């Protein structure tokens, strides 16, 4: 069943939802780049904020030992010149690039890397879930000013893939702003302590943040690099589109509704860069909350979503059906995975097998992300046809992210994207559904002991063939159990000023790593 734009607008008009509008915008200028971001910035701390919507500070103000670039993503040495691994796969030795300095001129040393990983573990937020099982606090050592050694608790199949996510901080600056045991968290939420390609010049959580080019950055710059960079909070899609067409903004969200991308393609001021992404759109289900803890109820929900109507009607066929948590292009994706299609008769049959009372569900959609809003309204309408009531509310991503921290505040359903953070199937399957990752990064609170056993094996193995078989098995499990409702894999349509060149899109940096970009006058 396909749903027309007219039908969808009728659903939208009848829904009781609201959102705020962005404030006024100002014109851009030569060598100045304004990125209109659809997620507000409540914090700039790269050790507590770890999502695609607010990745700008981490990618532009900070450096890691290695860095992901291009598509398909590849790792290149960055703060580190090289690395080695011990025979038992428990020690990773990195040799730092000499002569690198932080923005205040302080040299970057191995001790800063030690401080940074210890801080990540101590705060236990953001990227901490990547390291807390394999890196013990105090186990990382600075062998000399330019040599750092990570001594792991055991072999880890994903450790090297996650190395870019250790944003290295200026430890001496951080310690000057530390109050007792707070690791300077209140200070870093509004400031920066990095060595990245840009230096922070201003931060206003109501508006965004600004930075200037760090001229002495070790990576150098090409011809006509960006001198001033601004990430501005612009929640409303039409405001972002009009601002791009007028030249107020030089870049924005690469996952806008396709009709808006087509609109932008008609403007002489805009270029649209198209790339295959690794960003799965799904309806996140809280598997721990009755009646969603019943597999029959979850399967009923999976049969109640109009996949073809959403993809062909709302998305105008601009994305590809993706019936599992893994992007179709990622290794570890089984070809025989169960596919749920829109079938209200099957949904009704599954509902008959649900033993616990069926209550009204809360669906929390992302304000400023029209596909999330549209999916929520479409799903609400379909659920009503099988006798399941629901309420749709909108909230900005920081509010939703905070609600995911606790089962007491976690919504029943969130239409959301699972983006790439590192190039391994664990980024989607393991983190999304493994009990060890429960918290904000978990998509489901799935709690399947058999799944967890396979995940433990996959995280230890050094054999990619073995790991592929394991992740295929885990993917079949969560798909058959309808741990989430899997809809599509995105294509990225990056809208940029026609004066910009050198954009290096990677599914792991979402087109927001601006050190490579040049701007014509």
């Amino acid at each position: 069943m396909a749903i027309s734009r007219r039908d969808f607008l009728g659903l939208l008009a009848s829904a009781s939802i609201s959102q705020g509008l962005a404030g006024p915008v100002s014109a851009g200028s030569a060598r100045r780049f304004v990125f209109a971001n659809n997620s507000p910035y409540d914090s700039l701390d790269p050790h507590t904020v770890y999502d695609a919507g607010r990745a700008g500070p981490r990618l532009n103000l900070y450096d890691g030992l290695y860095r992901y670039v291009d598509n398909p993503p590849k790792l290149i040495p960055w703060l580190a010149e090289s690395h080695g691994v011990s025979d038992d796969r428990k020690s990773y030795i990195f040799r730092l690039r000499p002569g690198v300095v932080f923005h205040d001129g302080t040299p970057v040393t191995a001790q800063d890397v030690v401080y940074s990983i210890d801080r990540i573990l101590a705060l236990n937020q953001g990227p901490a879930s990547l390291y807390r099982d394999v890196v013990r606090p105090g186990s990382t050592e600075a062998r000399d000013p330019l040599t750092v050694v990570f001594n792991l608790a055991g072999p880890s199949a994903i450790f090297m893939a996650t190395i870019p996510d250790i944003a290295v901080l200026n430890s001496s600056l951080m310690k000057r702003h530390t109050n007792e045991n707070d690791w300077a968290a209140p200070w870093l939420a509004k400031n920066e302590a990095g060595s990245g390609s840009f230096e922070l010049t201003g931060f206003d959580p109501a508006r965004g943040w600004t930075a200037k080019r760090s001229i002495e950055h070790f990576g150098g710059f090409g011809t006509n690099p960006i001198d001033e960079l601004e990430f501005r909070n612009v929640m409303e899609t039409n405001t972002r589109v009009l601002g791009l067409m007028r030249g107020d903004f030089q870049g924005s969200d690469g996952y806008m509704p396709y009709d808006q991308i087509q609109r932008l393609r008609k403007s002489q001021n805009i270029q649209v860069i198209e790339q295959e992404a690794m960003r799965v759109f799904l309806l996140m289900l809280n598997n721990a909350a009755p009646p969603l803890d019943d597999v029959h109820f979850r399967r009923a929900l999976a049969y109640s979503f109009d996949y073809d109507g959403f993809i062909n009607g709302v998305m105008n066929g601009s994305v590809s059906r993706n019936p599992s948590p893994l992007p179709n292009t990622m290794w570890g994706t089984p070809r025989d995975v169960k596919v749920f299609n829109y079938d209200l008769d099957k949904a009704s049959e599954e509902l008959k097998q649900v033993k616990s009372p069926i209550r009204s569900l809360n669906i929390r959609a992302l304000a400023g992300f029209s596909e999330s809003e549209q999916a929520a309204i479409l799903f609400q309408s379909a659920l009503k046809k099988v006798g399941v009531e629901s309420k749709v509310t909108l909230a900005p991503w920081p509010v939703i992210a905070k609600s995911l921290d606790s089962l007491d505040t976690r919504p029943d359903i969130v239409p959301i994207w699972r983006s790439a953070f590192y190039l391994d199937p664990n980024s989607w399957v393991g983190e999304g559904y493994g009990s060890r990752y429960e918290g904000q990064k978990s998509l489901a609170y799935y709690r399947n002991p058999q799944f967890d056993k396979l995940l433990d094996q996959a995280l230890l193995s050094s054999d990619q063939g073995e790991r592929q078989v394991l992740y295929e098995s885990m993917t079949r499990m969560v798909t058959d159990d309808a741990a989430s409702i899997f809809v599509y894999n995105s294509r990225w349509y990056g809208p940029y000023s026609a004066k910009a060149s050198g954009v290096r899109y990677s599914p792991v940096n979402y087109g927001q790593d601006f050190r490579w970009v040049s701007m014509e006058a």
Side-chain angles (χ1 to χ4, degrees):
M1 170 188 168
I3 182 170
S4 69
R5 296 291 292 179
R6 177 179 295 177
D7 291 339
F8 173 73
L9 290 173
L11 287 173
L12 189 62
S14 65
S16 178
I17 57 178
S18 63
Q19 63 180 14
L21 298 177
V25 296
S26 61
S29 61
R31 308 285 292 277
R32 186 168 189 270
F33 194 102
V34 180
F35 187 84
N37 202 53
N38 53 354
S39 287
Y41 293 96
D42 55 333
S43 173
L44 301 179
D45 190 336
H47 292 173
T48 61
V49 174
Y50 186 65
D51 54 59
R54 296 173 292 172
R58 174 170 56 88
L59 294 169
N60 294 283
L61 304 178
Y62 293 93
D63 292 317
L65 295 172
Y66 273 60
R67 198 174 192 91
Y68 279 108
V69 294
D70 301 332
N71 190 21
K74 60 178 179 286
L75 273 177
I76 63 172
W78 203 242
L79 286 179
E81 288 185 321
S82 61
H83 80 282
V85 185
S86 64
D87 292 340
D88 64 2
R89 298 170 52 227
K90 290 185 179 181
S91 293
Y92 285 71
I93 305 169
F94 292 85
R95 183 68 181 174
L96 301 187
R97 190 184 302 272
V100 178
V101 297
F102 290 105
H103 295 149
D104 66 355
T106 303
V108 176
T109 70
Q111 191 57 52
D112 297 304
V113 181
V114 172
Y115 173 88
S116 298
I117 187 63
D118 284 345
R119 182 178 187 268
I120 289 173
L121 295 170
L123 294 177
N124 197 28
Q125 300 179 58
S129 61
L130 302 177
Y131 311 110
R132 61 183 172 224
D133 292 334
V134 292
V135 182
R136 299 286 181 259
S139 64
T140 308
E141 59 178 309
R143 186 165 292 177
D144 61 49
L146 294 179
T147 306
V148 62
V149 183
F150 292 87
N151 297 301
L152 308 189
S156 170
I158 66 168
F159 182 69
M160 191 60 204
T162 66
I163 276 292
D165 293 314
I166 303 175
V168 177
L169 309 185
N170 183 335
S171 59
S172 61
L173 177 61
M174 291 293 292
K175 289 173 182 177
R176 291 202 297 272
H177 292 281
T178 297
N179 183 16
E180 295 182 349
N181 297 317
D182 70 355
W183 291 88
W187 180 81
L188 198 62
K190 302 176 182 179
N191 297 278
E192 62 105 336
S195 62
S197 305
F198 294 89
E199 304 177 27
L200 186 70
T201 56
F203 172 57
D204 178 354
R207 184 173 175 84
W209 57 276
T210 57
K212 64 179 181 179
R213 181 162 56 94
S214 183
I215 298 174
E216 301 301 323
H217 192 272
F218 68 87
F221 295 89
T223 305
N224 299 325
I226 296 170
D227 292 317
E228 297 177 354
L229 178 65
E230 178 180 355
F231 276 72
R232 191 178 301 176
N233 305 340
V234 185
M235 297 288 289
E236 211 279 320
T237 301
N238 192 57
T239 304
R240 295 198 301 275
V241 170
L242 290 175
L244 284 163
M245 295 172 71
R246 289 196 302 260
D248 298 336
F249 312 137
Q250 286 69 51
S252 189
D253 174 24
Y255 301 106
M256 285 186 187
Y258 191 64
D259 58 347
Q260 299 301 318
I261 294 297
Q262 295 293 72
R263 181 181 172 194
L264 287 168
R265 278 178 165 152
K266 297 176 182 178
S267 172
Q268 294 183 346
N269 295 329
I270 300 299
Q271 58 176 316
V272 176
I273 303 172
E274 181 177 347
Q275 292 272 345
E276 186 71 30
M278 290 182 170
R279 186 176 186 253
V280 176
F281 183 70
L282 50 87
L283 275 66
M284 182 179 71
L285 306 180
N286 182 357
N287 287 224
L292 288 92
D293 58 351
D294 187 319
V295 66
H296 295 293
F297 187 73
R298 297 197 303 269
R299 286 173 179 164
L301 297 184
Y303 282 124
S304 299
F305 190 81
D306 187 357
Y307 304 91
D308 291 341
F310 187 75
I311 290 172
N312 297 322
V314 175
M315 300 298 296
N316 294 297
S318 62
V319 295
S320 304
R321 179 80 166 93
N322 204 104
S324 84
L326 274 175
N328 293 326
T329 55
M330 187 67 202
W331 65 268
T333 303
R335 301 306 168 196
D336 58 348
V337 70
K338 177 170 180 154
V339 178
F340 285 92
N341 292 310
Y342 183 53
D343 191 325
L344 296 183
D345 290 335
K346 287 184 178 180
S348 297
E349 288 301 314
E350 292 286 351
L351 285 174
K352 292 177 183 178
Q353 302 180 63
V354 179
K355 296 179 180 179
S356 58
I358 297 176
R359 58 176 171 81
S360 178
L361 304 177
N362 61 82
I363 305 175
R364 182 71 66 88
L366 278 68
F369 293 79
S370 61
E371 290 97 333
S372 179
E373 300 170 8
Q374 293 169 0
I377 301 305
L378 182 63
F379 195 41
Q380 181 187 45
S381 176
L383 289 177
K384 193 168 186 179
K385 294 176 183 177
V386 293
V388 177
E389 296 297 322
S390 60
K391 179 181 180 181
V392 175
T393 58
L394 301 186
W397 170 243
V399 174
I400 292 180
K402 185 64 178 175
S403 75
L404 301 181
D405 285 337
S406 169
L407 279 175
D408 294 333
T409 58
R410 197 178 183 93
D412 292 320
I413 303 170
V414 181
I416 198 172
W417 292 265
R418 182 72 177 190
S419 299
F421 292 97
Y422 54 93
L423 197 62
D424 190 277
N426 196 69
S427 182
W428 293 269
V429 181
E431 289 189 25
Y433 304 94
S435 296
R436 67 166 65 208
Y437 295 111
E438 284 189 356
Q440 188 179 111
K441 293 182 71 61
S442 170
L443 291 174
Y445 279 77
Y446 177 54
R447 295 176 174 172
N448 181 333
Q450 186 181 2
F451 178 97
D452 288 340
K453 182 178 179 181
L454 297 180
L455 176 58
D456 290 344
Q457 296 175 37
L459 290 173
L460 289 175
S461 176
S462 60
D463 184 335
Q464 182 168 321
E466 178 186 17
R467 297 186 74 233
Q468 176 160 337
V469 171
L470 291 168
Y471 280 106
E472 286 179 355
S473 297
M474 287 184 275
T475 299
R476 290 189 192 97
M477 284 182 191
V478 298
T479 305
D480 185 58
D481 286 346
S484 297
I485 299 173
F486 307 107
V487 184
Y488 69 76
N489 185 35
S490 306
R491 287 190 67 80
W492 181 80
Y493 300 92
Y496 293 97
S497 165
K499 296 181 178 180
S501 60
V503 176
R504 295 182 71 174
Y505 167 77
S506 171
V508 189
N509 70 28
Y510 331 111
Q512 295 184 36
D513 186 354
F514 290 112
R515 66 159 287 101
W516 319 103
V517 177
S518 295
M519 291 292 297
E520 295 179 11

